[in-house]
Amino acid sequence: MKKVLVTGGAGFLGSHLCDRLLDRGDDVLCIDNFFTGQRKNIAHLNGHPRFEFIRHDVTFPLFVEVDQIFNLACPASPVHYQFDAVQTAKTSVIGAINMLGLAKRTKAKILQASTSEVYGDPEVHPQTEDYWGRVNPIGIRSCYDEGKRCAETLFFDYQRQHNVKIKVMRIFNTYGPRMHPNDGRVVSNFIVQALRGEDITLYGDGTQTRSFCYVDDLIDGMVRLMDSGDDVLGPINVGNPVEFTMRELADAVIELTGTKSKIVHRPLPSDDPRQRQPDITQARTKLGWEPQVQLRQGLMRTIDYFRSVVGEGA
């Protein structure tokens, strides 16, 4: 049994990770400040004998004893991370420093939940881990993009300078139950609009592409990376390499929900990347991982979840 700390544990990914760790027998300490995390995501874990929750902001030091740290704390959707851009940057950078300091003191292994946003609006397609990216350092998305890039820098410097055992995972678009209904991400946007019978908002001409990974697959990749040998540091892309246009996604949501919603077009947001697709060669070879859930299957599960959420007035 390991004592595992999950920062951002009440969030979309964090709550699923807590479930997975408890299922395999670990002791889980979940921390969250509820900026974007939701109590209902972990409500089913209340009273679990191996689950503990502390309300805490990672920009402040935390003094606990743990064997592993999954650092997931940070708002991850443009709507949320742009709401308080300074705090977003602090969460990525100061949060990383605090968690790395904890890992250094306790000799814990630590995994950083980084992001495909470190590649910016890429000139290389699909994106491989050795691509340095094309990021606007002063744009409206920079608080997140550059914050995560700086966090990666800190992780590798702590590894080189202090021999901290690190893992860095670059997460590509992920979807599934427990997504925040108002996070502004394309999957949740389309589904909620469809279920409410509203127009489905398509930004730009709909030809921009994304690759969508179902949450169960993503969490499997995350756990595999943490459990991999000490020679596997990352960064490693984890995501679904199958590419879809935004129009294809909108059409699939319309079909699967049975909505009569119409598609309306809006201008493309600033610095929004045209293409995003992971090269997962390293994940396949080093982790034995690749996604198993197809988009339509994952969308159906996600739609079922949002039917209950929208019914609650979310």
Side-chain angles (χ1 to χ4, degrees):
M1 184 189 298
K2 298 184 182 71
K3 179 76 170 183
V4 184
L5 170 64
V6 179
T7 75
F12 164 46
L13 294 181
S15 61
H16 283 280
L17 176 61
C18 288
D19 288 342
R20 182 71 62 92
L21 296 172
L22 290 168
D23 286 346
R24 75 175 191 178
D26 290 337
D27 250 347
V28 175
L29 173 58
C30 167
I31 71 168
D32 207 297
N33 67 352
F34 293 124
F35 178 65
T36 56
Q38 301 179 90
R39 291 182 185 277
K40 66 179 181 180
N41 288 344
I42 53 172
H44 63 289
L45 299 177
N46 289 339
H48 192 293
R50 287 182 282 104
F51 179 78
E52 181 181 359
F53 173 76
I54 299 175
R55 185 164 185 168
H56 182 80
D57 187 324
V58 294
T59 61
F60 297 92
L62 181 68
F63 300 98
V64 293
E65 302 301 320
V66 292
D67 303 306
Q68 293 182 346
I69 303 167
F70 289 85
N71 187 37
L72 276 62
C74 189
S77 74
V79 168
H80 290 149
Y81 66 62
Q82 291 172 21
F83 176 78
D84 188 342
V86 172
Q87 184 62 26
T88 295
K90 285 182 175 180
T91 300
S92 287
V93 178
I94 299 174
I97 291 170
N98 286 333
M99 291 304 108
L100 285 162
L102 176 62
K104 177 186 171 186
R105 181 181 66 80
T106 61
K107 295 181 170 50
K109 190 187 299 185
I110 182 169
L111 181 146
Q112 167 67 4
S114 191
T115 172
S116 61
E117 296 295 337
V118 300
Y119 298 120
D121 191 2
E123 296 167 307
V124 171
H125 191 75
Q127 291 79 58
T128 55
E129 290 89 346
D130 58 0
Y131 175 54
W132 291 353
R134 178 173 173 263
V135 176
N136 177 358
I138 58 170
I140 59 172
R141 300 168 69 104
S142 306
C143 57
Y144 184 70
D145 301 2
E146 296 287 35
K148 289 289 191 177
R149 285 163 68 95
C150 185
E152 286 195 13
T153 300
L154 287 162
F155 265 68
F156 279 90
D157 283 339
Y158 265 77
Q159 187 272 330
R160 286 184 286 256
Q161 193 167 332
H162 301 297
N163 295 314
V164 173
K165 294 181 180 179
I166 67 163
K167 307 285 182 178
V168 175
M169 174 178 175
R170 290 179 178 163
I171 298 172
F172 282 69
N173 291 64
T174 305
Y175 70 100
R178 301 183 199 161
M179 293 184 79
H180 197 293
N182 301 314
D183 67 3
R185 298 189 212 191
V186 65
V187 173
S188 51
N189 264 8
F190 285 0
I191 292 175
V192 170
Q193 289 172 338
L195 292 177
R196 290 175 174 165
E198 301 170 352
D199 289 338
I200 291 180
T201 307
L202 195 61
Y203 293 97
D205 59 10
T207 59
Q208 66 270 36
T209 64
R210 294 293 184 274
S211 306
F212 301 101
C213 185
Y214 188 66
V215 62
D216 289 355
D217 285 335
L218 189 285
I219 296 301
D220 180 51
M222 184 177 289
V223 171
R224 285 179 185 234
L225 177 56
M226 177 62 94
D227 292 344
S228 63
D230 290 346
D231 59 327
V232 181
L233 307 181
I236 288 186
N237 292 336
V238 177
N240 195 321
V242 181
E243 199 173 9
F244 293 91
T245 67
M246 296 299 93
R247 180 62 194 237
E248 287 173 330
L249 177 67
D251 289 341
V253 169
I254 289 171
E255 177 192 345
L256 294 173
T257 57
T259 186
K260 298 189 183 303
S261 299
K262 306 298 183 188
I263 293 175
V264 297
H265 292 264
R266 295 287 183 267
L268 201 64
S270 176
D271 296 332
D272 193 56
R274 295 289 307 174
Q275 293 180 304
R276 188 58 62 69
Q277 180 188 17
D279 181 309
I280 62 167
T281 302
Q282 287 203 49
R284 286 188 175 116
T285 57
K286 295 181 178 180
L287 307 179
W289 177 88
E290 61 183 324
Q292 303 297 315
V293 180
Q294 302 301 312
L295 181 63
R296 289 177 66 87
Q297 180 186 5
L299 282 177
M300 289 173 66
R301 296 177 190 174
T302 309
I303 289 166
D304 287 343
Y305 167 77
F306 275 110
R307 285 191 196 278
S308 64
V309 171
V310 171
E312 294 170 355

